[in-house]
Amino acid sequence: MKSRSEVNIREKTTAFDFQPEFRKTVLGNGVRVVTEHHPFSRSTSAAIYVEIGTRDESIGINGAAHFVEHLVFKGTKSRSAFEIAKSLESVGGELNAYTSREVTCFHATSLREHLPLSLDVLVDLVGGAVFDSKEFVKEKDVILQEIDMSAEVIEDYIFDLYFEKVFSGHALGMPILGTPKSLNRISRKDLFDFYHHRYGGRNLVVSVAGDVDHDRVLELVGKSLSRSKNYSIRKKRVRPKQKAFTQVISRPSEQVHMLIGFPSGAFTDSARFESYIVNAALGGGMTSRLYQKVREDRGLVYSIYSYLHSFTDCGSIMIYAGSSQKNAPKVLKIISMEIKKLLKKGLSKRELDFFKTQVKGSILLGSDDVESRMNSIAVNEMVFGEYRPVDEVVAQIDKVSLGSIHEYLERFIDFNKSGVMLVGDVDEEKGSRWVENSFEK
């Protein structure tokens, strides 16, 4: 095995009955291996993150990262598609993957005694896929059906449409699934080259949490992954500019789907913890202002919530609601009024304390789940390049004040920078008039 560097941290905490031990090793070719030991856990969660997502594609191969994610499950040098499928299921575990705009992740959850199997399968997927030509054709058809199916679920699809508009002209605006046009342009060689030149070296983070031994994890993955090249082929990411807009898309639907968004901070932004609190207060749950005002008090919607989406260099805070055409103008008006009220008066001390407790509780509950911890230590490595103990995060949330909330709101929540999208059975003129009557641009 090539030379490597190591970090060993034992978290000092009063929030747990034990001290989870974090360890990190960087293999000689740049592959990072991070683990967090939870001695009382019967399960383990393991993943290999590839720091390649949709934003790292060119327009000509849009959808390639997601296509690769699908195709590696169709066979490797040592396993058939069926053998991959049954590998973890046969022992009661789970194997899955996902592609986002910034990463591709292959992950497995199993009993601790089956961790060697989990890691063997994950390494096989990341390093041994064969890209069979017949499977390539079949899977392309599957993804084309997936694109059609996703467009039918407007509550989800509206987010893709929003990103396409707000990040127009930037790779972050491209759909994760690609388009029928881009998929039909992609060849098997395009996909294999994308996989072969990106899935290795510094682009990989192996993350494991549970009752695990770090040295054992290195034994299981080090020999295979240390042979991959030290790739740094990912093109430099350019920070996007978010564009203000109003767009109404008319299409048959029982409801009018609404999405209102504002720029927010990146993962590394100094105000990221303030964004957590504002999101929780605005529409993060049943006690949030929008849920109480729009659903509980007025009964105008079934679904309304806010959502914080952070990237490595930017972010968005978005509000979704779905209502009948009759109620849609009222819903938009109330959303606008609540945002203006928040900008004018901020949060009360009681609200701040309430939502800080809520956010901290959610984080601490998540820290008991090994899959959540596996994801957390991987994200911290990819974003910050270091370990961030749970108690440190909780302490930073404690520092959020009424003043820092006010600074966040002043900095980010500006109607002149907002994006508003309506999708449903409403014509463009009418929908634009609703928005104009509610939101001042």
Side-chain angles (χ1 to χ4, degrees):
M1 188 180 295
K2 297 180 181 179
S3 61
R4 65 196 190 199
S5 60
E6 298 196 15
V7 174
N8 188 358
I9 299 174
R10 182 174 292 278
E11 181 179 341
K12 295 179 180 179
T13 175
T14 57
F16 304 97
D17 293 328
F18 65 93
Q19 297 180 353
E21 182 183 25
F22 171 82
R23 290 184 65 185
K24 170 184 171 179
T25 298
V26 182
L27 304 183
N29 63 345
V31 174
R32 291 158 286 170
V33 181
V34 293
T35 64
E36 191 174 73
H37 182 215
H38 293 254
F40 305 115
S41 175
R42 181 172 289 177
S43 64
T44 58
S45 188
I48 299 180
Y49 289 79
V50 188
E51 284 199 80
I52 297 292
T54 308
R55 73 177 298 179
D56 304 302
E57 303 166 348
S58 62
I59 294 176
I61 57 167
N62 176 214
H66 175 256
F67 201 160
V68 166
E69 176 225 310
H70 272 237
L71 206 53
V72 299
F73 281 87
K74 297 306 170 183
T76 66
K77 294 172 184 176
S78 57
R79 288 180 174 90
S80 67
F82 181 73
E83 287 170 334
I84 292 170
K86 81 170 187 177
S87 58
L88 272 295
E89 284 191 10
S90 65
V91 294
E94 296 179 357
L95 176 67
N96 214 329
Y98 66 85
T99 306
S100 75
R101 285 177 164 79
E102 295 196 312
V103 301
T104 306
C105 175
F106 302 88
H107 56 98
T109 300
S110 68
L111 294 173
R112 57 193 170 198
E113 57 264 34
H114 297 136
L115 177 62
L117 173 63
S118 292
L119 290 172
D120 187 59
V121 174
L122 292 172
V123 169
D124 200 18
L125 293 174
V126 169
V130 295
F131 289 65
D132 179 81
S133 56
K134 291 182 180 178
E135 294 295 344
F136 169 82
V137 174
K138 285 195 296 184
E139 206 58 28
K140 180 183 287 188
D141 287 340
V142 169
I143 296 173
L144 289 170
Q145 293 179 65
E146 185 181 2
I147 291 172
D148 290 340
M149 185 176 69
S150 69
E152 296 295 320
V153 187
I154 302 178
E155 183 174 347
D156 296 331
Y157 188 53
I158 193 172
F159 284 87
D160 278 342
L161 296 173
Y162 180 91
F163 283 129
E164 182 181 347
K165 191 71 176 179
V166 79
F167 294 126
S168 176
H170 190 278
L172 269 179
M174 297 192 302
I176 293 171
L177 302 182
T179 65
K181 184 178 180 180
S182 68
L183 282 179
N184 284 320
R185 269 200 307 250
I186 295 174
S187 68
R188 176 180 174 274
K189 183 179 184 303
D190 290 332
L191 272 196
F192 188 77
D193 287 347
F194 189 91
Y195 173 79
H196 182 69
H197 291 103
R198 288 167 174 82
Y199 278 43
R202 282 176 288 177
N203 288 343
L204 300 186
V205 174
V206 180
S207 180
V208 187
D211 187 8
V212 299
D213 177 80
H214 185 81
D215 292 328
R216 177 62 174 148
V217 172
L218 290 177
E219 289 176 12
L220 293 168
V221 304
K223 185 175 180 180
S224 298
L225 293 183
S226 64
R227 289 198 294 264
S228 69
K229 293 181 180 179
N230 192 357
Y231 294 120
S232 56
I233 197 169
R234 189 185 77 189
K235 63 183 181 181
K236 184 178 180 181
R237 289 175 174 173
V238 178
R239 183 178 180 180
K241 292 183 179 179
Q242 298 192 45
K243 300 171 183 177
F245 70 91
T246 296
Q247 185 175 28
V248 180
I249 300 175
S250 182
R251 58 176 287 180
S253 175
E254 291 296 321
Q255 289 199 312
V256 176
H257 300 262
M258 297 163 263
L259 192 60
I260 302 99
F262 300 88
S264 188
F267 271 123
T268 55
D269 195 278
S270 60
R272 62 188 174 279
F273 298 107
E274 282 75 11
S275 70
Y276 297 169
I277 304 301
V278 169
N279 180 61
L282 196 56
M286 291 189 291
T287 53
S288 66
R289 290 185 174 195
L290 290 175
Y291 190 93
Q292 286 296 312
K293 287 288 183 180
V294 181
R295 173 165 171 162
E296 294 299 283
D297 291 355
R298 301 288 297 275
L300 297 173
V301 302
Y302 173 75
S303 181
I304 184 167
Y305 56 86
S306 62
Y307 181 73
L308 190 64
H309 200 126
S310 299
F311 299 103
T312 52
D313 52 7
C314 65
S316 297
I317 185 167
M318 296 171 282
I319 299 159
Y320 167 84
S323 79
S324 64
Q325 185 182 124
K326 172 186 171 184
N327 291 335
K330 301 174 191 174
V331 173
L332 285 168
K333 193 71 175 177
I334 296 172
I335 291 172
S336 174
M337 289 171 58
E338 287 302 313
I339 294 171
K340 290 173 182 175
K341 189 186 300 182
L342 183 62
L343 286 171
K344 184 177 181 179
K345 297 183 178 180
L347 297 177
S348 67
K349 180 65 166 57
R350 181 188 63 80
E351 285 180 306
L352 178 62
D353 291 341
F354 178 89
F355 289 110
K356 281 168 70 171
T357 301
Q358 184 186 98
V359 170
K360 289 188 296 184
S362 177
I363 290 170
L364 288 170
L365 284 171
S367 71
D368 279 351
D369 178 74
V370 291
E371 185 172 359
S372 174
R373 291 307 302 156
M374 177 276 291
N375 179 69
S376 181
I377 62 175
V379 170
N380 285 331
E381 174 58 35
M382 290 185 288
V383 175
F384 300 102
E386 64 181 17
Y387 180 60
R388 301 174 69 81
V390 173
D391 275 14
E392 180 182 310
V393 175
V394 169
Q396 288 176 307
I397 292 171
D398 277 329
K399 291 179 182 178
V400 173
S401 65
L402 293 173
S404 65
I405 291 290
H406 176 73
E407 289 172 4
Y408 171 84
L409 293 170
E410 274 203 330
R411 181 180 165 198
F412 290 111
I413 310 302
D414 182 347
F415 283 99
N416 291 313
K417 298 178 181 178
S418 65
V420 183
M421 177 167 282
L422 307 183
V423 181
D425 191 13
V426 55
D427 63 64
E428 184 175 352
E429 183 180 350
K430 181 187 290 186
S432 297
R433 191 165 59 249
W434 293 347
V435 174
E436 186 179 344
N437 292 338
S438 299
F439 297 92
E440 298 173 6
K441 290 292 191 85

